[in-house]
Amino acid sequence: MISSKNLLTIEDFTPEDILQVLDTAVSFKDVNARAIKKLPTLRGRTVINLFLEPSTRTRTSFEIAAKRLSADAINMSGSASATVKGESLADTAETLSAMNCDLVIIRHRYAGAPGILARHMDARIINAGDGKHQHPTQTLLDLYTIREELGSIEGKTVGIIGDIAHSRVAGSLCPALVALGAKPIVIAPPTLMPSRPDILGAEKSYSLDDLLPDLDVVYTLRIQQERMDESPFPSLREYAMLYGIDSKRLQAMKPGAIIMHPGPINRGVELSAEAADSPRARILDQVNAGVAVRMALMYLMLGGEQSGSVA
Ligand code: NCD
């Protein structure tokens, strides 16, 4: 069983917890490849998807995962919730609590919002992305993909490239890689580099071309224009010239190295069309793993012990 009640940050999970989620997800991957994908595991459980910031793949992935486990999954989006009427998050939490839900999955533009819910609710809470802070379930599916594609996580060098400063994806991926014995290196122009990348446990570099031949994983991030007040580089074209993966950089990659991206992609910026569609790209494998990993997580957090084996 998982040692933590909630998943607010990736540090809530020990390396053993993380590996347990990944191992369990392998069984759910098989279930997802069957014609009939539904299991009775979480029948009678209520899962609320509280997404107060835009999302397509993460919200859909959680919804599919909950439904495949037969939970009652309810979606609440920003405009549909009473937060637009000025209700505080603490009041929303108490309202949802009064409805006896078992799990709330929250995405919010403020770092720490999942922690506020956790303080006001008995239900378990999963952070689906809080501001620029963390996105732990993205990390779990990224780790799953790295392990599946490269055979192990330990000892791998993972270059995380681009908008590190605004990235909750990097915020949870770096510490998890360190916990599992891999080496994260954040690679970005100085204006997109956090002031203390060492806090994430990562080395830093401003030069992609120097490091590219050494990377086992080329993890590209989206330029998050919606989180920027001013332009951190002269143009997207200049950014792509220095940090985008194009056909020349595809050639410079180590044999067997893979390209990852959390999506959504800005084609022509962080990845050229050729790179995004190349055999090295594992972007759709990440999406596919996302459903299995979220099923595993819900199974272990909510129903595991009463339900016996996965399939
Ligand atoms: C990421 C997010 O929302 O933090 N996307 C995702 O969850 N798949 C990254 C991004 O928006 O660039």
Side-chain angles (χ1 to χ4, degrees), residues 263-283:
I265 304 172
N266 292 309
R267 272 181 189 255
V269 183
E270 57 266 7
L271 292 172
S272 69
E274 195 190 342
D277 301 329
S278 82
R280 289 186 184 275
R282 294 294 185 277
I283 301 161

Side-chain angles (χ1 to χ4, degrees), residues 176-247:
L177 286 169
V178 173
L180 294 173
K183 181 165 111 173
I185 308 178
V186 291
I187 305 167
T191 47
L192 291 177
M193 191 65 90
S195 50
R196 295 282 312 274
D198 55 308
I199 290 175
L200 297 174
E203 289 178 23
K204 73 166 182 188
S205 169
Y206 301 129
S207 169
L208 174 60
D209 289 322
D210 286 351
L211 286 169
L212 198 55
D214 301 326
L215 303 177
D216 297 300
V217 179
V218 173
Y219 196 107
T220 51
L221 292 171
R222 185 173 66 88
I223 298 293
Q224 307 212 1
Q225 310 230 38
E226 76 277 17
R227 297 193 204 278
M228 294 176 193
D229 299 328
E230 44 196 58
S231 182
F233 37 75
S235 69
L236 287 175
R237 208 168 144 258
E238 167 142 352
Y239 174 84
M241 269 170 57
L242 289 169
Y243 295 96
I245 306 300
D246 55 12
S247 51

Side-chain angles (χ1 to χ4, degrees), residues 10 139 160 164 169-179 182 184-186 197 200-202:
I10 197 69
T139 295
I160 304 166
I164 315 293
V169 173
S172 38
L173 182 57
C174 289
L177 286 169
V178 173
I185 308 178
V186 291
L200 297 174

Side-chain angles (χ1 to χ4, degrees), residues 57-58 107 135 138 168-169 222 224 226-227 261-264:
R57 74 202 72 212
T58 304
R107 170 167 287 197
H135 192 352
Q138 178 70 42
R168 54 192 174 205
V169 173
R222 185 173 66 88
Q224 307 212 1
E226 76 277 17
R227 297 193 204 278
H261 191 298

